[in-house]
Amino acid sequence: MAPTQRAIRFEEAVLDKLGRFVMDHPGLSVPAAVNILLAEALRMEEHPGIAFRTGPSGRRAVTINGPDVWEIIRAVRVTREAEKSASPKEIAEMVTEFSGVTPQQITAAIRYQAAYPEEIDGLIEAAEEADRAVVAAGGPSTGAGEVDRP
């Protein structure tokens, strides 16, 4: 969808914060930053328990006070594959026990992934590809898919 130009008035304090955000993200224009931040705010409103964080792979969805959404989804998938007869509730309990994430974080991650599967699947694939490259080069597995506590 092509962007549509709109005139928006901002408070000075908001413009100051926006300017700092753009300075902290080289290559990002003010209009692009507004679009990104507004889209993320709408996603957070749509998905309670989800926030966004900047890291080495760019901005990504995270659970509040927890790991990235992709990490939780990957852990759920790995557990489901290993425990084929387990119910969804049992899978969630196993992931919670193994990783320390809360059931609420798992639920938030699953709901977000259901709404944005391409985004989360892309992050999982990128992590797994990086892990394969490290292993192919003779290094140890990075543990792609293991949930890191923040």
Side-chain angles (χ1 to χ4, degrees):
M1 180 184 317
T4 303
Q5 188 170 347
R6 299 277 190 240
I8 302 174
R9 298 178 197 273
F10 294 101
E11 295 176 3
E12 283 300 317
V14 172
L15 282 175
D16 289 344
K17 289 179 182 181
L18 183 59
R20 284 193 298 276
F21 182 85
V22 169
M23 288 186 347
D24 290 343
H25 297 83
L28 192 62
S29 67
V30 171
V34 169
N35 195 58
I36 289 167
L37 294 172
L38 183 55
E40 290 175 353
L42 292 170
R43 286 182 179 198
M44 291 185 325
E45 181 69 21
E46 184 181 32
H47 297 280
I50 298 295
F52 291 85
R53 187 180 302 139
T54 300
S57 63
R59 290 188 63 80
R60 69 241 186 258
V62 299
T63 54
I64 304 253
N65 296 321
D68 293 5
V69 169
W70 75 263
E71 292 176 297
I72 294 173
I73 296 303
R74 176 72 175 125
V76 167
R77 289 177 181 172
V78 166
T79 305
R80 187 183 314 134
E81 183 63 29
E83 301 291 337
K84 293 185 188 324
S85 64
S87 70
K89 182 180 180 196
E90 291 169 327
I91 298 285
E93 289 169 352
M94 286 183 255
V95 171
T96 294
E97 183 179 333
F98 170 73
S99 66
V101 297
T102 67
Q104 294 82 4
Q105 289 169 322
I106 294 171
T107 299
I110 289 170
R111 288 182 178 156
Y112 185 86
Q113 191 277 335
Y116 302 100
E118 291 177 4
E119 173 188 331
I120 301 307
D121 291 346
L123 290 168
I124 291 170
E125 181 55 37
E128 290 175 346
E129 181 61 34
D131 187 53
R132 287 190 291 271
V134 168
V135 171
S141 173
T142 60
E146 294 178 11
V147 178
D148 294 328
R149 294 182 186 166

